[in-house]
Amino acid sequence: MWANWDMKSWLVYAVISMIFAGLTSVVAKIGLNGVSAELGIAVRTCFVFAFVMAFSTWAVPPAQLQTLTGANYLWLGISAATTTVSWIFYYKALKDGEVSTIAL
């Protein structure tokens, strides 16, 4: 059945991302119970780092690190900064508001 499935891989990835992004908001709201938004996002970020590093050790060949350029580091660093600001305020909103409204 799946062999003839002609969906682009990026679309599958986007759907998987959408599902987990929805779950992320719900479980984060539960995890923020009794703690500040800042502490919650700090703990979450540590877990994300650990999970990404664990995944990367078998998914990304070490030689691939040599392909990174200064521009890659610059733009990925800027992306990290914008993600940081976005998630800090997202968690502040999530702490006080309704998941169904904020996650939209």
Side-chain angles (χ1 to χ4, degrees):
M1 174 183 162
W2 295 102
N4 293 329
W5 199 41
D6 197 25
M7 185 177 282
K8 302 283 187 202
S9 61
W10 67 264
L11 186 56
V12 174
Y13 299 152
V15 170
I16 293 169
S17 173
M18 177 187 65
I19 291 166
F20 279 93
L23 290 172
T24 297
S25 301
V26 173
V27 297
K29 178 70 174 182
I30 296 167
L32 288 172
N33 188 28
V35 299
S36 71
E38 293 79 10
L39 178 59
I41 195 166
V43 170
R44 175 197 176 271
T45 301
C46 291
F47 274 105
V48 170
F49 176 77
F51 293 148
V52 169
M53 293 308 293
F55 175 76
S56 295
T57 58
W58 61 268
V60 178
Q64 193 174 33
L65 290 172
Q66 296 174 356
T67 65
L68 290 168
T69 65
N72 293 132
Y73 282 109
L74 172 68
W75 290 108
L76 291 171
I78 292 169
S79 174
T82 59
T83 299
T84 300
V85 173
S86 170
W87 278 95
I88 286 172
F89 287 100
Y90 179 77
Y91 266 60
K92 285 181 170 292
L94 194 60
K95 175 72 179 167
D96 297 329
E98 296 292 324
V99 173
S100 58
T101 304
I102 294 161
L104 293 176

